[in-house]
Amino acid sequence: KTIRIVQNIERYFDEIKINQGIILSHLNETKSTTNLKDYEFKVFSQWGEDGIIQNLIKKVEIKNKTFIEFGVEDFSESNCRFLLMKDDWKGFVIDGSTKNIQRLRNSYFYWKHHIEAVDEFITKGNIENILRKSNFENDLGILSIDLDGIDYYVLKAINNFKPRILICEFNPVFGGNENISVPYRDDFQRTKANHTNLYFGASLGAITYLANKKGYSLVGTNTAGNNAFYVRNDLLNDNFRVLSVEEAYSNSNYRESRYKDGNLSFLTQDQRVKEIKGLPIYDVEKKIIRYFS
C-alpha cells in the first residue's frame, strides 16, 4: 500500500512536469534561432536536454520514433524519458546496475510504454550484441551515450545502427583544443580510475572527430557544457548551423570534483585541469598514449 501511495504521488508530479514541458515545447516553436541552448528546458533530463531534443525532432525528419540510451541508472533522470512519456517513442535502455534496472522495471510507467531495459556492463566488444536485443531498425531516431568512461570507444564500435540524431556526453575538463580520451579498459569505472571523479570520457574534439567520420555534424552543445548534439549529414537543413569544436565548446561551471574521502571539493575549471595533469590519455588522431598537460 505504501509503495502504491508513493507511486501515485510520483505519477501526479510527473504529469504536472510533462504538461509544463508540453507548454514550453510549444513556446519554443516561436523561436527561429539555430542556437540549441536557446531551446533548453528540463523535465526529466539532468540539464536542458529535454528542450533541445524536442527542438531537434521537430526539425529533423524522423522515420522511426525509436531511441537507445545507455548510462541511464534507473531512468528517472535521463535524456529520453520525456520522449517516451510525452511522444510515446519506443525505447531501449541499458545500465550496468541490476538494481537500477529493476527499479525502472518496477516503475509505474514501465508497463504503459514500449520500453525494454537490460542490465549489462558495456564494452566495445559487446555493445553491438546488446543493441541487437532492441530489435529496432538500424535507422534509429536517437542514440544517447553517457557512460562516464569509455564513450569514445563504444561509439566507434557501433556500426549497425545509424541514428538520425546522436547525443554524446563529453568531458569538458579535457578542453576544446585536443582530440583525446581516457585509454581503453574493459573494466573502466570513473570513480575508481581517479579519486577526483574528473578523469573519464573523451573531449568534445575526440567525439566530434569520430562523429564526423561516421557521417554526422556537430550542431550544438548544452549550456552546462557536457553534452554534444549531432545530426546525420543527409538530414541537415537550414534549421541548423554546423559548428566547429571551438565554436561549440565552453568551460563548464558545475563542480563535481571530489576529495579522496569522496566529498565534493568544488574546484573551478582551471583547478580541475590541474588535478588530472600527468594522467595518461589517448590521442585519437595520432593513436598514441601520452600524458595530459
Side-chain angles (χ1 to χ4, degrees):
K1 185 176 180 180
T2 302
I3 293 175
R4 191 179 303 117
I5 292 171
V6 171
Q7 286 189 334
N8 285 338
I9 294 171
E10 181 185 5
R11 180 164 58 245
Y12 173 75
F13 282 108
D14 282 352
E15 288 171 355
I16 293 174
K17 291 194 295 183
I18 290 169
N19 286 329
Q20 289 176 330
I22 291 171
I23 294 170
L24 291 170
S25 184
H26 286 314
L27 289 173
N28 272 347
E29 291 177 4
T30 65
K31 300 175 182 178
S32 58
T33 173
T34 58
N35 186 346
L36 294 190
K37 295 174 183 177
D38 293 334
Y39 296 93
E40 289 186 347
F41 64 75
K42 169 186 169 65
V43 179
F44 298 116
S45 57
Q46 184 175 18
W47 307 99
E49 293 85 359
D50 285 321
I52 292 176
I53 291 170
Q54 287 292 305
N55 172 60
L56 289 174
I57 65 171
K58 288 179 173 69
K59 295 175 178 176
V60 174
E61 182 182 353
I62 304 293
K63 178 186 176 185
N64 299 305
K65 293 183 177 181
T66 54
F67 69 83
I68 291 176
E69 182 172 6
F70 41 88
V72 297
E73 296 187 349
D74 64 0
F75 201 59
S76 58
E77 185 177 73
S78 58
N79 286 339
C80 295
R81 183 178 166 190
F82 189 51
L83 273 177
L84 177 81
M85 300 182 72
K86 169 188 174 285
D87 300 300
D88 205 31
W89 279 40
K90 296 178 181 179
F92 183 80
V93 299
I94 313 161
D95 192 81
S97 165
T98 301
K99 289 183 179 178
N100 282 338
I101 294 302
Q102 192 58 53
R103 278 198 296 269
L104 169 54
R105 289 175 178 160
N106 291 337
S107 68
Y108 77 87
F109 61 84
Y110 191 76
W111 67 271
K112 296 176 72 174
H113 300 277
H114 184 121
I115 181 171
E116 296 295 332
V118 299
D119 54 303
E120 297 269 5
F121 190 86
I122 294 171
T123 69
K124 66 179 182 180
N126 68 13
I127 185 60
E128 289 273 65
N129 287 332
I130 295 172
L131 296 189
R132 286 191 190 96
K133 297 177 183 179
S134 70
N135 292 316
F136 288 158
E137 291 185 28
N138 64 354
D139 191 355
L140 195 67
I142 290 177
L143 172 64
S144 180
I145 300 175
D146 180 358
L147 289 175
D148 286 349
I150 54 172
D151 306 65
Y152 172 86
Y153 308 96
V154 170
L155 175 59
K156 186 177 181 181
I158 298 174
N159 295 307
N160 289 326
F161 286 88
K162 304 295 181 185
R164 298 201 164 201
I165 297 166
L166 170 65
I167 306 168
C168 195
E169 185 188 45
F170 61 92
N171 186 347
V173 185
F174 284 156
N177 300 314
E178 296 191 278
N179 297 350
I180 57 176
S181 169
V182 293
Y184 182 79
R185 285 186 56 167
D186 267 351
D187 61 349
F188 186 93
Q189 293 184 50
R190 176 180 178 178
T191 54
K192 294 181 178 180
N194 188 268
H195 76 270
T196 62
N197 216 33
L198 302 173
Y199 180 63
F200 69 95
S203 66
L204 176 61
I207 298 296
T208 303
Y209 170 78
L210 178 57
N212 290 165
K213 294 183 77 171
K214 285 179 170 285
Y216 292 83
S217 291
L218 175 64
V219 296
T221 55
N222 60 345
T223 299
N226 61 353
N227 268 319
F229 299 83
Y230 303 86
V231 172
R232 212 170 67 197
N233 288 340
D234 61 310
L235 299 165
L236 289 171
N237 55 54
D238 293 340
N239 293 305
F240 303 106
R241 186 168 77 89
V242 175
L243 303 177
S244 66
V245 172
E246 291 72 23
E247 289 173 314
Y249 177 83
S250 60
N251 286 341
S252 62
N253 290 321
Y254 62 92
R255 300 175 298 166
E256 58 180 347
S257 56
R258 303 276 175 171
Y259 291 116
K260 287 185 177 180
D261 62 8
N263 289 319
L264 287 165
S265 58
F266 304 109
L267 299 180
T268 63
Q269 173 71 8
D270 290 342
Q271 291 171 326
R272 292 198 293 270
V273 170
K274 291 179 182 178
E275 279 292 296
I276 61 171
K277 278 188 175 181
L279 293 176
I281 53 170
Y282 177 69
D283 187 310
V284 304
E285 280 193 273
K286 296 179 181 178
K287 296 180 172 54
I288 59 170
I289 291 180
R290 55 184 176 83
Y291 298 96
F292 185 56
S293 59

